[in-house]
Amino acid sequence: MPPRAAPMTPQERHDQLVDVTLRLLREHGRAVTTKQIAEAAGIAEGTIFRVVASKDELVDAALVRAFDHGAIFDRIAEIDPALDLRDRMVRLVSILQQRFRATFGLIRKVGMLGPPAHLHDSAEADAVRARLERACVELVGADAEHLSVEPGEMVHRLRLLTFAGSHEQVADGRLLSPEEIVDTVLTGLLAPAARPTCADPAAPVDPVGPAERATTPARPARPVREEASC
């Protein structure tokens, strides 16, 4: 007879049941039963109701855990800053894409249209999104000087394309790989031979031709940020 497992504290048992319920929700949706949860947790079904009042309470706790961002920050922090920008962004998009696809799958399985409002539309959720943006921008690092837009804008576009390219319905079933997403944002889709070349940086740029110059009022010059491809 195998030895009995060490007893759990109420909090440990609750955490175990939430983890098990979340895993089963991804498979069965809200049709999951307390019997299935108990069997997966290796406990008697009655034990569940010594921890929570109902299955719905357990399902709600599992959904809260599913939308927790804690682990994503740890994974982003593990990306090696010594990698070149493209490789760092590919790893970042891989992490975001896994998160998006797991979330989309869960939402679809439990019959929701989106994240619960209290988890998405709140001051706490706004703070998490801001923290996530900072983490992504920090990953750009010194390569920010090679971008034609601010790092925050590049990260914004990268996340938008990752979201759309990771959603089965939005992408019409043609999901984008992390490499495709990053290359679209960083280099676009023009073939190398068709990409515009930079003018001689020593030569002044004349915004109007000679015919227009006579009738165009003078206007102050504005600094032009050098393009990343130059």
Side-chain angles (χ1 to χ4, degrees):
M1 182 176 179
R4 295 183 62 185
M8 293 184 178
T9 65
Q11 186 60 54
E12 289 172 338
R13 180 65 74 190
H14 182 273
D15 289 343
Q16 179 209 25
L17 289 174
V18 170
D19 286 341
V20 169
T21 302
L22 178 55
R23 175 161 51 84
L24 292 175
L25 281 175
R26 297 187 190 279
E27 182 179 354
H28 303 287
R30 291 185 181 274
V32 65
T33 66
T34 53
K35 180 179 180 181
Q36 289 172 317
I37 295 171
E39 289 176 350
I43 60 174
E45 189 172 358
T47 302
I48 293 177
F49 299 103
R50 292 201 289 270
V51 179
V52 294
S54 66
K55 187 191 82 170
D56 287 343
E57 181 182 334
L58 201 49
V59 168
D60 289 343
L63 291 175
V64 169
R65 180 159 300 177
F67 291 99
D68 179 74
H69 283 74
I72 202 169
F73 294 109
D74 294 336
R75 295 188 63 192
I76 292 174
E78 292 171 355
I79 298 175
D80 186 355
L83 295 170
D84 65 32
L85 178 62
R86 180 181 183 274
D87 286 344
R88 294 199 305 276
M89 293 301 101
V90 167
R91 282 161 173 73
L92 172 63
V93 168
S94 296
I95 293 169
L96 296 178
Q97 189 172 63
Q98 289 169 15
R99 167 80 179 188
F100 283 140
R101 294 193 65 183
T103 301
F104 297 151
L106 177 62
I107 287 174
R108 185 167 56 250
K109 202 70 179 179
V110 299
M112 298 166 60
L113 296 178
H118 69 286
L119 298 179
H120 187 268
D121 304 320
S122 66
E124 292 80 4
D126 289 341
V128 169
R129 284 190 285 270
R131 180 186 171 193
L132 180 58
E133 180 175 350
R134 288 194 301 271
C136 295
V137 167
E138 288 173 4
L139 199 58
V140 176
D143 283 299
E145 66 183 32
H146 302 304
L147 301 175
S148 62
V149 296
E150 294 301 319
E153 178 62 22
M154 190 273 279
V155 165
H156 172 68
R157 298 183 191 185
L158 194 70
R159 289 176 61 193
L160 282 180
L161 187 55
T162 302
F163 181 95
S166 305
H167 195 291
E168 288 281 353
Q169 283 70 43
V170 174
D172 294 328
R174 297 164 57 189
L175 300 182
L176 298 177
S177 71
E179 290 80 7
E180 289 169 332
I181 292 168
V182 172
D183 288 342
T184 299
V185 173
L186 291 186
T187 62
L189 296 177
L190 283 177
R195 292 173 190 163
T197 57
C198 296
D200 180 354
V205 177
D206 190 352
V208 295
E212 293 84 353
R213 190 179 299 110
T215 58
T216 302
R219 55 185 177 182
R222 63 178 183 179
V224 178
R225 187 167 185 172
E226 185 179 354
E227 292 295 329
S229 59
C230 302

